Amino acid sequence: MRNRTVGINVRVTVTEKKKVTMLAKKCGLSLSEYLRQRALGYEPGGHPPKEVFDVLDKLDEIAENCQPSAGAKITACADEIRDLLIGGN
């Protein structure tokens, strides 16, 4: 998984937070992931089932137990699939 190392704080009204939280839930995303995608210019839409991401997480676990070069390739592929699923480049 990618390491998130810094935070960005934004102040909103209670109503704004409720609305953004609802929009994130509609897309099947956490509030942070929804805001991250929107800030980076993506427009989250429908989402694949949770099981798809569970499989990708399992691939990450497998990659950790492989030879470093193979593990890096597996991780890169899983990350690329995640990016495609969430509307990345």
Side-chain angles (χ1 to χ4, degrees):
M1 286 194 130
R2 297 182 186 137
N3 293 325
R4 308 285 185 206
T5 58
V6 296
I8 298 173
N9 295 312
V10 178
R11 301 203 54 85
V12 296
T13 66
V14 171
T15 302
E16 290 170 331
K17 182 177 180 187
K18 285 180 183 179
K19 183 175 182 180
V20 175
T21 300
M22 178 203 60
L23 292 169
K25 284 183 181 179
K26 279 180 138 179
C27 293
L29 299 171
S30 68
L31 179 58
S32 292
E33 185 60 29
Y34 179 81
L35 292 172
R36 186 177 304 109
Q37 287 187 32
R38 295 297 294 158
L40 295 173
Y42 306 132
E43 291 192 30
H47 56 89
K50 177 187 174 300
E51 291 80 10
V52 172
F53 292 98
D54 291 344
V55 169
L56 292 170
D57 290 343
K58 189 66 175 171
L59 281 175
D60 288 336
E61 289 177 27
I62 292 168
E64 289 176 9
N65 295 313
C66 288
Q67 295 289 332
S69 61
K73 289 177 185 177
I74 293 169
T75 298
C77 287
D79 286 346
E80 186 175 345
I81 292 168
R82 279 187 191 90
D83 288 344
L84 290 169
L85 290 171
I86 63 171
N89 295 332

